[in-house]
C-alpha cells in the first residue's frame, strides 16, 4: 500500500477560506480570500499532474470554493461601504451648501 502525501497548503487554504467568509463583514475577508486562492493554485496543479500521489483534494477544493465566496462577499462589503460614503458625503455637501 502506497502512502499518499497531503497536498501542500491544503489545510492552510481551508482555514483561509473559512476565515474569508467569517471576516468578510470586516473587509479583511477579501484579503484572506485572495491569499487562499493564490495558495490553492499550486496544490490544484500538483493534483492534476498526479491525482494518485496526493490526498486532501477535498480540503483544498473546499477551501478554494470558500475563498471564492469570501472574496465575493468581501468585495460586496467594500463596495457597500464606498457607496455609503459617497451617499453620506453628497448629503453632507448638500446640507453645508444650503446652510451657507
Amino acid at each position: 500500500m502506497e502512502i499518499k502525501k497531503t497536498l501542500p497548503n491544503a489545510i492552510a487554504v481551508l482555514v483561509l477560506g473559512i476565515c474569508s467568509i467569517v471576516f468578510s463583514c470586516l473587509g479583511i475577508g477579501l484579503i484572506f480570500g485572495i491569499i487562499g486562492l493564490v495558495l490553492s493554485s499550486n496544490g490544484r496543479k500538483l493534483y492534476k499532474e498526479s491525482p494518485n500521489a496526493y490526498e486532501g483534494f477535498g480540503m483544498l477544493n473546499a477551501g478554494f470554493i470558500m475563498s471564492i465566496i469570501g472574496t465575493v462577499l468581501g468585495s460586496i462589503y467594500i463596495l457597500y461601504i464606498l457607496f455609503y460614503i459617497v451617499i453620506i458625503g453628497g448629503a453632507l455637501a448638500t446640507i453645508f451648501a444650503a446652510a451657507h
Side-chain angles (χ1 to χ4, degrees):
M1 183 170 184
E2 186 178 320
I3 298 175
K4 295 182 178 183
K5 295 185 280 186
T6 303
L7 282 166
N9 300 326
I11 297 171
V13 170
L14 183 64
V15 170
L16 285 168
I18 292 169
C19 289
S20 70
I21 292 174
V22 170
F23 295 119
S24 64
C25 294
L26 301 175
I28 57 174
L30 179 66
I31 298 168
F32 287 145
I34 291 171
I35 294 171
L37 290 172
V38 169
L39 288 179
S40 68
S41 66
N42 185 27
R44 292 172 72 85
K45 287 178 190 174
L46 282 175
Y47 186 78
K48 286 182 181 180
E49 289 174 2
S50 57
N52 294 329
Y54 295 102
E55 64 180 10
F57 184 70
M59 285 190 298
L60 187 75
N61 202 28
F64 178 72
I65 292 169
M66 286 189 285
S67 293
I68 290 173
I69 294 169
T71 302
V72 169
L73 289 176
S75 300
I76 290 171
Y77 178 74
I78 288 176
L79 289 174
Y80 171 75
I81 293 297
L82 290 175
F83 180 73
Y84 185 74
I85 290 171
V86 167
I87 294 297
I88 296 296
L92 289 176
T94 305
I95 291 170
F96 286 130
H100 291 154

